Amino acid sequence: MLTSVNLRDYMLTNPAKVNENVHLSEAMKSIIDNKVSGLCIVDDAGNFVGILSEMDCLNAILNATYNNIGVGKVSEYMIKDNILTASPNDDIVDIAQDMLLKKHRRRPVIEEGKLVGQVTCRQLLAAVNKFIS
């Protein structure tokens, strides 16, 4: 049975992440090794600064190949504007509804500017499964 609707109780507390200054190839390796479709991006102080999806990586590689140029740091390819985030104290039902409405697969969880977790469709399914069990 679902014992809480607090996002803190269901979020990933150590999501796959890389620093914004790493080379794109390192981020791609992290996506592959962690078997995820995207990464949270942090700065040197651990502040959340963006997201990078496998589609962003593929786009960068294809663009570099087509234009015969190299690829650079994650900061050149990550999404950094208009990213929806959540707070650990948010209601998981509200977050699930918003993610469904916006067709998002993941949402970074931020507290005082720091990345403290992430909620994905998998965590939402697990929470729902507890509720119906």
Side-chain angles (χ1 to χ4, degrees), residues 12-94:
L12 289 170
T13 57
N14 191 21
K17 64 182 175 283
V18 296
N19 184 282
E20 65 184 333
N21 294 313
V22 303
H23 193 270
L24 186 65
S25 61
E26 187 175 331
M28 291 187 309
K29 183 176 179 346
S30 182
I31 287 173
I32 293 164
D33 290 349
N34 287 292
K35 298 178 180 157
V36 295
S37 61
L39 302 170
C40 292
I41 309 302
V42 296
D43 65 13
D44 292 335
N47 295 307
F48 174 77
V49 294
I51 57 173
L52 182 76
S53 72
E54 57 193 353
M55 295 298 286
D56 297 326
C57 294
L58 185 57
N59 184 45
I61 295 300
L62 290 177
N63 185 47
T65 301
Y66 179 77
N67 292 304
N68 198 28
I69 57 174
V71 294
K73 296 178 181 180
V74 166
S75 59
E76 298 173 45
Y77 309 103
M78 67 184 194
I79 305 300
K80 51 188 164 196
D81 296 319
N82 302 318
I83 300 171
L84 296 175
T85 62
S87 163
N89 298 318
D90 285 346
D91 183 304
I92 194 168
V93 175
D94 292 340

Side-chain angles (χ1 to χ4, degrees), residues 8 11-15 86-88 109-111 114-118:
R8 182 182 310 276
M11 68 184 192
L12 289 170
T13 57
N14 191 21
S87 163
V109 181
I110 310 301
E111 192 168 49
K114 303 283 188 204
L115 177 68
V116 295
Q118 178 175 256

